[in-house]
Amino acid sequence: MRRRTLLAAGLGLAAATGPTPAHATEGHRVLHVHPGDSVQAAVDAVTGPGWTIVVHPGTYREVVNIPASATELTLRGATRDPRAAVIVYDNANGTKKPDGSTYGTAGSATFTSAAPGLTVRDLTLANDWLRADHPDITGTQAVAAFTYGDRTHFDNVRLLAHQDTLFVETTALDSFDRQYFRRCRIEGDVDFVFGRATAVFEECRFHTLQRDVTFTPKGMVFAPSTARANPRGILAVRSRITSGAEDGAYKLARPWVPSYETTAWPSLVVRDSWIGPGIDPVAPYTDMREQYPWQTMRFREYGNSGPGAAITVPENRPQLTPEEAESHTRSAYFGDWRP
């Protein structure tokens, strides 16, 4: 079944049909978006900090961009079920724009936010572009959410795509923007959680998809690109890593050292989490480029369980000491921010 069918399966939801204005609640800084409205139109109607946009059950096929000026914005579903309100589109890196250029990885995102203090709750953000539908396109990255504002907080959000699902980035090479994901479900296949941000994932589920290829690994969960000056990169704690593919088909991570930031020193800590059999327990890490071997990166684990966490070759699974683990917590990563 194709992704776009799965998104609305069983929900009986109407799709948004055009950029009509959202409905404001008189006397309050709240905008309501119903099927037939546009989420982007609601974002465009925000006039200052502290607004709330409530997205009612429906499937909204559009691209949403939140500017840096929309500070302290809350975007939330009208119900607590994140499946009820779905924002989805289908651009990929190699998709052509009307002018003949392509979108690129970041530009492919269904949802983009540069706003500091953003909160997103109880929604699905998805990119349902499929490789099989576009064999002519080689740039197959297709991002569901691209976030690069400090104090970004996602709670009970589903993030669905294939390659490069969630791009956790920063506003500048020398900024250490903080992002917090709690009770989220993130699924994909290749590098589907990636970027330079200080990003904490707590009580999240990372799900690797079945992929119709004959080689292994079929993909990787994480691809951090942390700046060398940043002592903290991606942290996953009290989470679960599950798979729709066969046992051992996926790697836990590989380091991403971008061509525009060759001094990057990727950092990833996975701790107190359950790692399922879809992750190769013997060699859970791999290289993206030969000149940047994963062994030279800041990859560590601590207190994990499950078949994919088995330590069969110790040198392939660097572990934190109990003393080191004290520096890899949500509070240590976020400092004065208490999401």
Side-chain angles (χ1 to χ4, degrees):
M1 189 180 294
R2 295 191 174 192
R3 165 83 65 204
R4 66 187 62 189
T5 304
L6 284 171
L7 288 170
L11 296 179
L13 303 176
T17 57
T20 58
H23 305 287
T25 300
E26 188 174 354
H28 300 279
R29 300 166 72 85
V30 179
L31 292 162
H32 290 267
V33 181
H34 296 87
D37 298 335
S38 163
V39 178
Q40 185 62 52
V43 172
D44 294 342
V46 168
T47 56
W51 281 75
T52 295
I53 296 173
V54 181
V55 184
H56 289 260
T59 300
Y60 301 83
R61 179 161 286 277
E62 60 178 313
V63 172
V64 175
N65 287 282
I66 299 177
S69 59
T71 58
E72 312 301 329
L73 175 70
T74 295
L75 178 69
R76 66 176 182 87
T79 76
R80 293 185 178 180
D81 184 353
R83 299 170 299 175
V86 177
I87 302 172
V88 57
Y89 209 71
D90 60 348
N91 284 328
N93 178 337
T95 301
K96 286 190 176 182
K97 298 179 181 180
D99 65 4
S101 64
T102 57
Y103 282 96
T105 297
S108 73
T110 297
F111 177 88
T112 299
S113 175
L118 173 74
T119 297
V120 181
R121 299 194 340 244
D122 307 328
L123 287 171
T124 292
L125 305 176
N127 189 319
D128 61 358
W129 187 90
L130 293 174
R131 300 180 185 97
D133 291 346
H134 305 277
D136 55 313
I137 293 179
T138 56
T140 58
Q141 299 89 347
V143 177
F146 172 35
T147 58
Y148 57 102
D150 189 37
R151 296 178 294 105
T152 294
H153 180 189
F154 280 50
D155 196 333
N156 193 33
V157 175
R158 295 196 310 160
L159 296 144
L160 311 179
H162 287 264
Q163 184 172 354
D164 290 11
T165 302
L166 174 61
F167 194 176
V168 290
E169 194 60 327
T170 62
T171 49
L173 295 179
D174 58 354
S175 64
F176 304 156
D177 296 342
R178 298 160 295 180
Q179 302 182 17
Y180 180 47
F181 298 82
R182 177 175 176 265
R183 301 183 305 142
C184 293
R185 177 187 174 99
I186 306 143
E187 67 174 50
D189 50 39
V190 179
D191 303 334
F192 63 93
V193 177
F194 72 111
R196 191 175 53 228
T198 297
V200 175
F201 297 84
E202 192 166 22
E203 300 176 29
C204 290
R205 181 177 176 185
F206 305 91
H207 186 71
T208 63
L209 298 172
Q210 180 58 275
R211 189 177 171 200
D212 188 19
V213 294
T214 57
F215 55 80
T216 56
K218 293 189 172 183
M220 308 81 193
V221 180
F222 301 101
S225 58
T226 321
R228 182 168 293 272
N230 189 352
R232 301 174 182 91
I234 294 175
L235 169 66
V237 59
R238 291 188 295 279
S239 294
R240 293 174 60 84
I241 300 175
T242 59
S243 182
E246 62 270 24
D247 292 358
Y250 275 82
K251 301 293 187 182
L252 189 59
R254 63 178 179 174
W256 176 33
V257 178
S259 58
Y260 55 81
E261 192 183 8
T262 57
T263 61
W265 192 20
S267 174
L268 168 71
V269 171
V270 179
R271 60 170 300 176
D272 305 311
S273 295
W274 186 86
I275 303 176
I279 300 299
D280 177 3
V282 177
Y285 304 105
T286 189
D287 300 336
M288 184 177 292
R289 296 185 180 90
E290 196 174 275
Q291 64 267 44
Y292 305 113
W294 74 263
Q295 292 90 344
T296 64
M297 303 300 167
R298 295 176 285 176
F299 285 3
R300 297 292 186 270
E301 298 178 54
Y302 183 77
N304 295 320
S305 60
I311 303 175
T312 57
V313 182
E315 59 267 33
N316 286 349
R317 304 208 80 138
Q319 303 289 308
L320 295 172
T321 66
E323 293 74 22
E324 290 171 334
E326 294 177 2
S327 298
H328 294 278
T329 63
R330 179 181 63 183
S331 60
Y333 274 47
F334 289 160
D336 61 357
W337 180 42
R338 298 289 184 267

